[in-house]
Amino acid sequence: QVQLVESGGGSVQAGGSLRLSCAASAFTYTYSNYCMGWFRQTPGKEREGVATINSDGWISYAGTVKGRFTISIDNAKNTLYLQMNSLSPEDTGRYYCAARGTSDYCLVSNRYDSMNFWGKGTLVTISS
């Protein structure tokens, strides 16, 4: 069974960095085609895509994080990462790891319900 477990969240000052990890069990071995990504949510707001990567290596970033965040995947370890640099209070939210067993249209603009596997999230709080 696919399990997604996030870690690495915490509280840091503006300008700081965090690296989020998502342990994805045997996901990349189970699915030859996939789309994986990070979504974030603040209470009262829609869950939004932050960064996605698919099995062909195609990457998509939200305009607000492009140049500051880097998504990557270690297939051998079945782990998805999100390196976050130059953090600002606007980046505050709960970050969720998500995945689906298809690779097409793997974009941050996708509706969150296009993903069918989800972790429970990890909280990121950026203070001024």
Side-chain angles (χ1 to χ4, degrees):
Q1 296 290 333
V2 174
Q3 286 268 17
L4 304 179
V5 181
E6 304 96 334
S7 62
S11 182
V12 298
Q13 293 184 321
S17 298
L18 284 172
R19 189 181 76 160
L20 305 184
S21 297
C22 172
S25 64
F27 185 82
T28 61
Y29 295 103
T30 302
Y31 299 95
S32 57
N33 295 324
Y34 59 79
C35 174
M36 300 187 71
W38 295 91
F39 288 71
R40 68 186 179 190
Q41 186 170 28
T42 298
K45 293 185 178 181
E46 189 80 18
R47 189 173 298 184
E48 63 178 353
V50 176
T52 58
I53 185 169
N54 77 356
S55 47
D56 294 319
W58 288 96
I59 293 173
S60 177
Y61 292 105
T64 53
V65 308
K66 188 175 179 63
R68 298 187 297 120
F69 291 11
T70 302
I71 188 170
S72 62
I73 187 167
D74 185 332
N75 292 99
K77 294 184 177 181
N78 273 277
T79 302
L80 181 73
Y81 300 98
L82 183 68
Q83 178 66 47
M84 305 187 293
N85 299 323
S86 301
L87 287 162
S88 73
E90 297 299 320
D91 296 313
T92 293
R94 192 166 187 87
Y95 285 67
Y96 298 86
C97 177
R100 56 175 161 90
T102 55
S103 62
D104 59 306
Y105 298 99
C106 188
L107 304 167
V108 294
S109 60
N110 291 171
R111 283 174 51 86
Y112 69 87
D113 57 7
S114 69
M115 300 293 201
N116 55 5
F117 298 109
W118 289 87
K120 293 184 177 181
T122 184
L123 185 64
V124 171
T125 302
I126 313 302
S127 60
S128 299

